[in-house]
Amino acid sequence: MINKFFSEGRWQEAIAQYQKLLECQSGDAEIYWNLSYCYRQLNWLDEYFSTLQQGIKLYPTDGRLHFSLIIDLRQNGRIQEAILSSDNAAKLLPDDYTFKIIKYLTVPSIYENHGEINFYRQRYTQGLRDLIEQTSIETTEEQHSALAGIGRLTNFYLSYQAQNDIDLQRQYGKLVHEIMAANYPQWIVPLSMPKLQPNNKIRIGYVSHYLHSYSGTLWLTGWLRYCDRSSFEIYCYYIGNEPDPITQQFQEYSDVFHHIPDNLSAACEQIIADKLHILVFPEIGMNPQTMQMGGLRLAPVQCVAWGHPVTTGLPTIDYFLSSELMEPENAQEHYLEKLIRLPNIGVSYPKPYIPPVIKTHSDFGLPDDAVIYLCCQAPFKYLPQYDFIFAEITHRVPQAKFVFLRGGLLQPRLKRAFATIGLNSEDYCVFISIPERLDYLMINLLSDVYLDTFTWSGGNTTLEAIACNLPIVTCPGEFMRGRHSDSFLKMLGVTDTIAENETEYIEIAVKLGLDQAWRGTIAERMSQNHDRLFDDKACVEGLEAFYKKVCTKH
């Protein structure tokens, strides 16, 4: 009966049954795992964490309980507890490489203050040295454990510290490559470029865990849609398993589509068998299996695109496909791969369908006279040194409401920032979660101003805000990952709301909030120029010219 409740997602009924079981007997590790999972689904975090901790006390070598505890403590901003738990797990499971990685390379998902960033960067830098030093892949057991470890997580959060990661990524990439080479020596030898007969097409493969509706790969549909079919044959490899209507689009735009979920060897074998000329990873760094595959040599030429806009550090990735509008002049210094600056924003983003406005402020609990500033980025994009900006805007726009869609973890920091100038953040900051896409677009349509994040700007979110004609305040950063919105607005030809520094950012945000006429003018100009930005074919022509050149060169 419990399993029935569990499999049907009847979490509260399952919880009641699991608790009864635990009252009669101690239960096994599986019961603690299932019970914790139910709590997680209901977002009852205190119960979730305490259940995992109880399970670990009784079953100290159950890796699954440890892993969930550490990852979710970090995810919820409880970094000290996560680090203590990872030290504990590494002691209890000394042969499990997963916990070596976590022990040495855990950084926060969110920082309390600017000083923490430097502290955790130094900790990571030293930890990476220690991890490399302590990694042994001599025996088969060690090889398998290291392979499983790098297959469970990536160093995703490192690049949100807003620094040049090339040296740290190079060290980590080399480690990943060596682990992959020890496990799959047959797949690290250089491959020769298949001969191209006069009427042959160039075979291009795209491999991703995310060939579904996902921000890191949605743009890829444009590259495939506008592909020159007379010159290229498209192979897609979907290694995830959440198919949806976007997956169907990938299927339609491919000549050959393989769905090979959660089977690294099978996916690699298929790619090798297809004898590609070029293999492209839309992102490397978000999904562990993709990172593992990127550490092998599955095609003569291997490229990564900017789904995760940071160098991979892998010696097996040859080119980084970026955007001429996004990259600063010295950009090659940020990449181990050879940087390719594709025309415009580098991707052909499909114009999103925007519904008519069918909701009002009150549907979201917002006052009718509020000036709504939309803050829709993931919490880890908000760095603490910029918190003061919200308070400064409020100082001059008393009707301001900052609507955070995922920013609950930022509340203590914002409280401090507002208190510094004698204001209560709760009067101005609103935290709502939007499960439905329709509501997400409604919030965009009802907002007055979109506030972009510093150092790592919006990508998909900015493009959707532009489709809703929502004025965007942005300030380009040092690295390409902080220059997405800047490049979109330049391509759109609406650059009045691009700031050069924090002071100007505040000025623009305040003026947009107070001057309704100017706001309307900006929105109108955005609306007239959509065609310059969406469904861009020039970048696809640039991409295909690059593919042809590379095939000839090799």
Side-chain angles (χ1 to χ4, degrees):
M1 181 57 85
I2 310 182
N3 291 343
K4 185 174 187 294
F5 291 149
F6 186 84
S7 60
E8 289 176 5
R10 291 157 67 180
W11 310 121
Q12 292 190 7
E13 290 160 280
I15 286 168
Q17 296 295 323
Y18 285 129
Q19 284 172 336
K20 264 190 198 154
L21 256 182
L22 292 177
E23 279 164 24
C24 317
Q25 58 189 73
S26 61
D28 56 14
E30 189 72 17
I31 290 181
Y32 284 95
W33 164 256
N34 287 351
L35 177 57
S36 74
Y37 187 86
C38 296
Y39 286 132
R40 185 82 188 81
Q41 296 306 110
L42 294 167
N43 208 29
W44 295 0
L45 293 181
D46 290 343
E47 292 84 349
Y48 169 66
F49 288 127
S50 68
T51 303
L52 288 173
Q53 284 157 343
Q54 284 163 15
I56 287 166
K57 270 189 191 140
L58 292 165
Y59 301 97
T61 56
D62 191 287
R64 196 162 59 156
L65 298 174
H66 283 287
F67 187 77
S68 299
L69 178 65
I70 299 162
I71 296 302
D72 282 327
L73 281 170
R74 173 175 68 178
Q75 191 79 21
N76 284 280
R78 293 161 67 166
I79 186 66
Q80 268 80 28
E81 293 169 77
I83 286 171
L84 282 173
S85 300
S86 64
D87 287 345
N88 185 40
K91 278 194 198 90
L92 291 166
L93 295 151
D95 299 328
D96 191 329
Y97 193 75
T98 304
F99 298 109
K100 266 200 175 68
I101 298 176
I102 295 176
K103 176 184 171 174
Y104 288 121
L105 303 188
T106 290
V107 296
S109 63
I110 187 162
Y111 296 92
E112 280 305 303
N113 54 60
H114 191 210
E116 269 196 356
I117 297 175
N118 295 326
F119 171 80
Y120 282 106
R121 192 168 187 87
Q122 284 168 358
R123 184 183 184 275
Y124 181 99
T125 304
Q126 184 57 50
L128 184 54
R129 279 191 214 118
D130 294 342
L131 176 67
I132 291 166
E133 212 171 276
Q134 292 178 30
T135 297
S136 169
I137 40 177
E138 298 299 311
T139 68
T140 311
E141 286 77 16
E142 288 170 340
Q143 290 164 9
H144 289 174
S145 179
L147 179 71
I150 60 167
R152 292 188 80 184
L153 69 169
T154 70
N155 56 351
F156 173 79
Y157 287 112
L158 175 73
S159 43
Y160 290 89
Q161 295 177 340
Q163 298 189 40
N164 188 356
D165 295 323
I166 186 168
D167 290 333
L168 293 174
Q169 288 290 80
R170 183 191 280 116
Q171 293 172 57
Y172 186 70
K174 182 171 178 275
L175 177 66
V176 168
H177 171 62
E178 285 169 359
I179 292 169
M180 295 309 292
N183 283 277
Y184 300 103
Q186 73 277 28
W187 289 334
I188 52 154
V189 286
L191 297 169
S192 54
M193 185 65 76
K195 287 270 188 298
L196 266 180
Q197 303 305 334
N199 291 327
N200 280 13
K201 294 178 183 182
I202 296 172
R203 292 185 292 283
I204 310 285
Y206 295 95
V207 58
S208 175
H209 181 82
Y210 302 110
L211 296 185
H212 49 249
S213 184
Y214 188 76
S215 59
T217 46
L218 197 57
W219 53 267
L220 177 59
T221 55
W223 278 7
L224 304 191
R225 179 188 290 131
Y226 300 119
C227 168
D228 170 8
R229 298 289 162 178
S230 63
S231 303
F232 298 95
E233 198 166 41
I234 300 294
Y235 291 71
C236 275
Y237 306 88
Y238 179 28
I239 61 169
N241 203 12
E242 294 175 49
D244 63 13
I246 300 292
T247 310
Q248 282 176 303
Q249 280 187 31
F250 279 113
Q251 224 164 336
E252 282 162 30
Y253 299 145
S254 305
D255 294 288
V256 179
F257 183 93
H258 295 287
H259 184 196
I260 310 171
D262 310 315
N263 190 334
L264 186 77
S265 305
C268 294
E269 276 163 11
Q270 186 60 61
I271 293 169
I272 297 261
D274 288 335
K275 292 190 164 48
L276 302 173
H277 295 90
I278 300 172
L279 178 63
V280 181
F281 295 87
E283 63 76 27
I284 291 180
M286 293 191 293
N287 171 257
Q289 277 63 53
T290 313
M291 184 94 184
Q292 288 177 310
M293 291 171 82
L296 297 168
R297 178 55 74 178
L298 304 174
V301 171
Q302 298 189 154
C303 309
V304 65
W306 64 267
H308 183 59
V310 184
T311 184
T312 66
L314 293 166
T316 38
I317 301 295
D318 309 299
Y319 298 97
F320 194 104
L321 306 176
S322 186
S323 141
E324 66 179 6
L325 280 180
M326 285 182 204
E327 292 290 359
E329 271 179 48
N330 65 336
Q332 184 59 64
E333 295 166 18
H334 309 154
Y335 298 96
L336 188 64
E337 308 81 1
K338 184 169 172 44
L339 183 63
I340 303 299
R341 300 168 194 254
L342 297 176
N344 301 327
I345 63 170
V347 296
S348 178
Y349 194 86
K351 185 175 176 180
Y353 164 73
I354 304 300
V357 183
I358 54 167
K359 293 204 171 185
T360 65
H361 283 195
S362 60
D363 288 310
F364 298 101
L366 297 164
D368 285 339
D369 62 345
V371 176
I372 297 180
Y373 290 94
L374 181 61
C375 309
C376 59
Q377 302 306 327
F380 42 81
K381 283 190 182 179
Y382 292 92
L383 294 186
Q385 59 267 41
Y386 303 107
D387 289 351
F388 78 96
I389 284 171
F390 301 106
E392 283 298 322
I393 293 168
T394 310
H395 212 38
R396 291 153 62 183
V397 187
Q399 273 86 27
K401 288 279 185 199
F402 302 98
V403 174
F404 289 90
L405 299 189
R406 296 185 272 176
L409 286 178
L410 302 168
Q411 281 171 289
R413 268 178 27 195
L414 291 168
K415 214 175 193 131
R416 290 198 292 275
F418 277 77
T420 305
I421 61 165
L423 293 173
N424 182 355
S425 63
E426 288 169 21
D427 296 335
Y428 304 98
C429 299
V430 180
F431 299 89
I432 53 182
S433 61
I434 303 271
E436 297 297 325
R437 177 162 173 79
L438 178 70
D439 279 348
Y440 173 72
L441 292 172
M442 282 305 130
I443 279 282
N444 272 267
L445 292 164
L446 292 169
S447 293
D448 299 297
V449 183
Y450 171 109
L451 292 181
D452 199 19
T453 26
F454 286 77
T455 74
W456 192 309
S457 70
N460 258 32
T461 48
T462 304
L463 288 160
E464 290 181 327
I466 289 171
C468 294
N469 305 315
L470 177 58
I472 286 153
V473 192
T474 192
C475 180
E478 183 186 353
F479 306 105
M480 180 265 259
R481 56 193 184 262
R483 302 165 74 95
H484 301 334
S485 301
D486 173 69
S487 70
F488 304 153
L489 293 178
K490 282 177 177 159
M491 200 165 161
L492 203 62
V494 182
T495 55
D496 324 43
T497 60
I498 299 173
E500 281 188 21
N501 51 47
E502 294 153 35
T503 308
E504 202 182 337
Y505 183 101
I506 294 166
E507 294 293 333
I508 294 167
V510 168
K511 188 181 174 190
L512 280 170
L514 297 176
D515 187 340
Q516 204 175 346
W518 187 52
R519 204 161 68 219
T521 308
I522 297 283
E524 182 54 34
R525 282 169 51 210
M526 291 171 85
S527 141
Q528 286 166 0
N529 293 350
H530 282 178
D531 292 348
R532 294 184 184 184
L533 175 64
F534 296 111
D535 293 297
D536 174 50
K537 297 185 185 67
C539 70
V540 182
E541 287 164 19
L543 174 74
E544 295 182 342
F546 160 73
Y547 286 160
K548 286 175 181 172
K549 188 176 160 190
V550 159
C551 281
T552 312
K553 184 177 141 188
H554 284 262

